[in-house]
């Protein structure tokens, strides 16, 4: 087999890169997925999409991603809604910190603002604001259907000629004289000069075969959904004090998560203590939840980088090798813009957003870390 | 399944999410040829029954289409709880201490 580009990983990032490449005319692409599409973090995510981060790099990339989410949802036909995000605060110091973050958001065109209980109640009817003194409202944020997003990208890719191999694992990236020459897979050898690694924590192992060390940690997170309801509230609501979040998904289920103590790099295990921990916070906010049934509980990983920003773009040591991993919990929402940026790196040699150039692996080697403070759930 | 029955009225396979035999056959033809992908494409098994009613039927439909034995198909894992449980029940049990 031969291919112009091989993408390793069939999550939101992988299918987005394939789609953006194909739309720019590069259709001689093979995408490898070791299980089924979306089976890593994408189909386990909280479905939220926001630009209210705390660094220029994250905010600018995400603002572009949000514009793309809207276009893509219309182009490919999947659910996307700008229902907003509400970050709830119980202490004055939280409000002060987010008032400063809001200034950064506004500087880069994300219209967040501090609001008070009356407006919180209007945006999230049935919420109990007892103990809540204020919130950050991000009207640009929203949510999308991860299944529809990943699967519709993949179908569109196939129609344009991209080959998608599921249940196919990349075993080794073949490098000669500092250049990529191929990928060995469980379905045979593929000759190629360009490989994109977009395999979540698995990126680490496959990058190692090319002599590249990716400093990633795999941290388990947990989520549950209730039975379905007609629309109750539009925004994704975050209780910043406990790091818990709640959102009504595209299908109508109420999805919630909370940060509980976890060890990195361990297999996913069921933590039944997660359920009482999260529902105790959420029943205070939405008292009617008490009478609602829990349908399903699952876990997934946040693939953490040292500074909570993804590692994107080309790798200095190996010509033709690109990385897109380590989103630290935000890979799904960044999928569209990362697809476009990696396609630009491959086709134009550089990305259209200068902020992306600061997110290559080089920053970590040179110690130029850019810390993100707003990681939730 | 006979053509007459299909034309007469929809045959529901997943009663929680209103997925018909026709929906499933169409999705398989579109390339959704594993249970995990069919589940996400159609939401089969994601309702209150969690697949206990529909999944065995979907397994048979898919196995027949792919000319495989049912036991050759990869089965999606079951997620806890086994049956829907009211949140109220969890309020009475353990978990980490509240932050406040």
């Amino acid at each position: 087999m031969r291919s112009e580009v091989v993408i390793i990983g069939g999550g939101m990032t992988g299918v987005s890169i394939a789609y953006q490449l194909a739309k720019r005319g590069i259709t001689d692409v093979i995408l490898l997925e070791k299980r089924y599409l979306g089976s890593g973090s994408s189909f386990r995510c909280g479905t939220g999409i926001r630009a209210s981060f705390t660094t220029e790099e994250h905010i600018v990339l995400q603002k572009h991603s949000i514009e793309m989410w809207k276009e893509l949802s219309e182009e490919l036909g999947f659910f996307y809604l700008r229902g907003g995000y509400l970050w709830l605060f119980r202490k004055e110091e939280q409000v002060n910190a987010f008032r400063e973050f809001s200034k950064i958001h506004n500087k880069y065109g994300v219209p967040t603002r501090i609001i008070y209980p009356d407006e919180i109640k209007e945006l999230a009817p049935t919420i109990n604001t007892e103990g809540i003194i204020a919130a950050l409202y991000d009207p640009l944020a929203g949510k999308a259907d991860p299944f529809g997003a990943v699967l519709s990208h993949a179908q569109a890719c196939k129609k344009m000629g991209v080959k998608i191999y599921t249940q196919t694992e990349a075993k080794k990236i073949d490098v000669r004289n500092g250049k990529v020459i191929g990928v060995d897979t469980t379905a045979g050898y593929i000759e190629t000069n360009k490989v994109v690694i977009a395999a979540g924590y698995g990126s680490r192992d496959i990058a190692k075969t090319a002599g590249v060390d990716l400093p990633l940690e795999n941290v388990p997170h947990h989520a549950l959904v209730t039975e379905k309801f007609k629309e109750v509230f539009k925004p994704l609501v975050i209780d910043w004090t406990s790091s818990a979040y709640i959102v009504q998904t595209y299908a109508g289920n109420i999805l919630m998560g909370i940060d509980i103590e976890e060890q990195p790099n361990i297999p996913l295990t069921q933590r039944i203590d997660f359920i009482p921990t999260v529902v105790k916070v959420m029943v205070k906010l939405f008292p009617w939840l008490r009478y609602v049934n829990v349908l399903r509980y699952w876990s997934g990983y946040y693939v953490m980088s040292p500074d909570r920003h993804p590692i994107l773009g080309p790798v200095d040591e190996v010509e033709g090798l690109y990385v897109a991993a380590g989103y630290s919990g935000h890979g799904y929402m960044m999928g569209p813009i990362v697809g476009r940026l990696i396609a630009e790196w491959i086709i134009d040699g550089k990305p259209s957003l200068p902020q992306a150039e600061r997110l290559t692996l080089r920053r970590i080697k040179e110690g130029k870390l850019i810390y993100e403070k707003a990681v939730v759930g | 399944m006979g053509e007459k029955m299909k034309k007469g009225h929809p045959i529901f396979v997943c009663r929680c999410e209103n997925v018909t035999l026709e929906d499933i056959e169409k999705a398989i033809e579109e390339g959704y040829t594993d249970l995990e992908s069919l589940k996400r494409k159609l939401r089969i098994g994601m309702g209150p029954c969690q697949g206990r009613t529909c999944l065995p039927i979907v397994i048979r439909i898919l196995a027949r289409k792919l000319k495989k034995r049912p036991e050759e198909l990869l089965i999606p894992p079951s997620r806890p709880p086994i049956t829907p449980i009211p949140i109220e029940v969890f309020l009475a049990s353990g978990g980490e201490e509240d932050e406040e």
Side-chain angles (χ1 to χ4, degrees):
Chain A
M1 281 185 282
R2 223 207 110 70
S3 185
E4 192 172 344
V5 182
V6 173
I7 299 167
I8 302 171
M12 188 63 213
T13 300
V15 297
S16 172
I17 294 167
Y19 183 69
Q20 296 297 333
L21 279 170
K23 287 229 312 188
R24 291 197 56 187
I26 311 278
T27 55
D28 183 15
V29 174
I30 293 177
L31 184 147
L32 304 170
E33 165 53 52
K34 73 173 172 183
R35 297 182 64 213
Y36 57 92
L37 293 175
S39 58
S41 296
S42 298
F43 283 178
R44 298 165 187 268
C45 77
T47 80
I49 294 161
R50 61 165 162 128
S52 34
F53 286 91
T54 63
T55 68
E56 180 191 340
E57 289 76 11
H58 253 158
I59 298 168
V60 170
L61 262 63
Q62 264 307 115
K63 175 114 194 307
H64 281 84
S65 210
I66 284 174
E67 283 155 21
M68 292 176 73
W69 272 107
K70 184 159 195 314
E71 292 161 18
L72 289 163
S73 67
E74 288 160 6
E75 200 170 301
L76 298 172
F78 58 82
F79 172 94
Y80 166 68
L81 178 76
R82 281 193 189 157
Y85 262 45
L86 279 173
W87 305 66
L88 305 178
F89 308 124
R90 297 171 187 276
K91 293 171 191 151
E92 202 58 52
E93 69 236 38
Q94 297 171 337
V95 184
N96 292 337
F98 275 79
R99 199 170 267 129
E100 291 307 309
F101 294 153
S102 181
K103 284 180 193 163
I104 311 174
H105 303 153
N106 297 170
K107 186 179 166 192
Y108 296 108
V110 179
T112 62
R113 59 194 167 89
I114 300 291
I115 62 168
Y116 297 94
D118 283 351
E119 200 175 346
I120 296 171
K121 279 182 197 157
E122 268 174 46
L123 289 162
T126 77
I127 199 168
N128 166 29
T129 54
E130 196 190 324
I132 308 291
I133 56 171
L136 181 87
Y137 176 45
D138 176 359
L140 196 60
K143 54 195 173 183
D145 161 19
F147 311 134
V150 171
L151 298 176
S152 65
H153 270 82
Q155 287 298 96
C157 284
K158 283 190 212 164
K159 277 189 193 133
M160 289 188 281
V162 173
K163 293 187 189 76
I164 297 182
Y165 298 152
T166 56
Q167 303 294 337
T168 306
E169 194 172 350
K171 307 292 282 180
K172 184 184 187 304
I173 297 171
D174 211 359
V175 178
R176 194 177 296 159
N177 301 327
K179 290 180 186 174
V180 170
I181 55 163
V183 182
D184 197 19
T185 82
T186 50
Y189 189 87
I190 308 169
E191 285 175 53
T192 186
N193 296 115
K194 291 189 173 73
V195 170
V196 186
I197 303 176
Y201 186 66
S203 302
R204 222 167 153 258
D205 284 344
I206 194 70
K208 216 170 267 170
T209 69
V212 175
D213 180 39
L214 297 178
L216 302 174
E217 296 245 285
N218 221 13
V219 180
H221 281 254
H222 307 264
L224 66 80
V225 286
T226 70
E227 58 200 320
K228 287 175 12 172
F229 292 94
K230 285 184 182 170
E231 188 179 273
V232 187
F233 58 97
K234 285 191 172 78
L236 186 147
V237 179
I238 297 162
D239 180 65
W240 186 242
T241 311
S242 60
S243 191
Y245 67 91
I246 185 164
V247 61
Q248 190 169 15
T249 68
Y250 75 100
N253 308 82
I254 313 281
L255 186 157
M256 56 187 98
I258 192 168
D259 198 8
I260 56 174
E261 207 181 324
E262 270 290 5
Q263 299 295 317
N265 313 329
I266 58 165
L268 292 174
T269 51
Q270 289 175 3
R271 284 277 304 270
I272 290 302
D273 59 323
F274 158 77
I275 304 181
T277 305
V278 71
V279 299
K280 278 175 188 172
V281 174
M282 287 312 167
V283 161
K284 274 188 213 154
L285 286 178
F286 295 99
W288 48 267
L289 275 172
R290 168 185 294 273
Y291 308 109
V292 169
N293 285 312
V294 174
L295 282 195
R296 187 160 61 246
Y297 150 64
W298 71 95
S299 43
Y301 291 109
Y302 281 18
V303 185
M304 308 302 284
S305 74
D307 62 3
R308 309 319 185 218
H309 284 81
I311 299 168
L312 298 180
V315 174
D316 290 333
E317 301 93 314
V318 183
E319 198 183 318
L321 185 64
Y322 303 80
V323 178
Y327 301 93
S328 311
H330 313 120
Y332 168 66
M333 59 175 87
M334 296 186 86
I337 189 62
V338 168
R340 180 182 284 177
L341 292 166
I342 298 289
E344 288 168 351
W345 252 306
I346 290 172
I347 298 166
D348 311 324
K350 68 188 290 238
S352 56
L353 300 175
Q355 289 83 3
E357 287 181 279
R358 298 176 212 152
L359 297 177
T360 59
L361 182 60
R362 194 186 295 163
R363 81 171 185 278
I364 293 165
K365 288 194 197 125
E366 292 179 351
K368 291 180 184 159
L369 301 186
I370 310 159
Y371 288 96
E372 173 57 53
K373 298 185 192 82
V375 177
V376 181
Chain B
M1 208 57 67
E3 279 303 309
K4 253 187 211 167
M5 272 182 84
K6 260 200 255 180
K7 275 177 194 157
H9 53 80
I11 299 163
F12 286 97
V13 173
C14 169
R15 293 179 298 182
C16 302
E17 299 280 343
N18 293 339
V19 183
T20 65
L21 176 64
E22 200 185 340
D23 296 331
I24 295 166
E25 289 178 337
K26 188 165 164 266
I28 295 171
E29 274 156 33
E30 283 171 15
Y32 297 96
T33 53
D34 65 284
L35 294 164
E36 294 278 12
S37 302
L38 278 171
K39 174 179 162 183
R40 270 71 178 200
K41 171 70 181 166
L42 300 172
R43 297 191 59 83
I44 290 167
M46 296 176 91
C49 95
Q50 287 286 286
R52 279 188 308 280
T53 310
C54 57
L55 205 55
I57 307 173
V58 181
I59 290 169
R60 284 217 311 276
I61 297 168
L62 184 62
R64 202 163 57 214
K65 278 263 178 193
L66 300 180
K67 299 189 167 46
K68 284 186 177 177
R69 289 197 314 273
E71 54 272 32
E72 287 178 88
L73 303 179
L74 295 166
I75 313 284
S78 317
R79 309 283 193 205
I82 299 295
T83 58
I85 295 180
I87 280 179
E88 199 165 34
V89 173
F90 294 105
L91 292 177
S93 61
E96 288 177 12
E97 283 303 305
D98 291 353
E99 301 253 338
E100 284 171 74

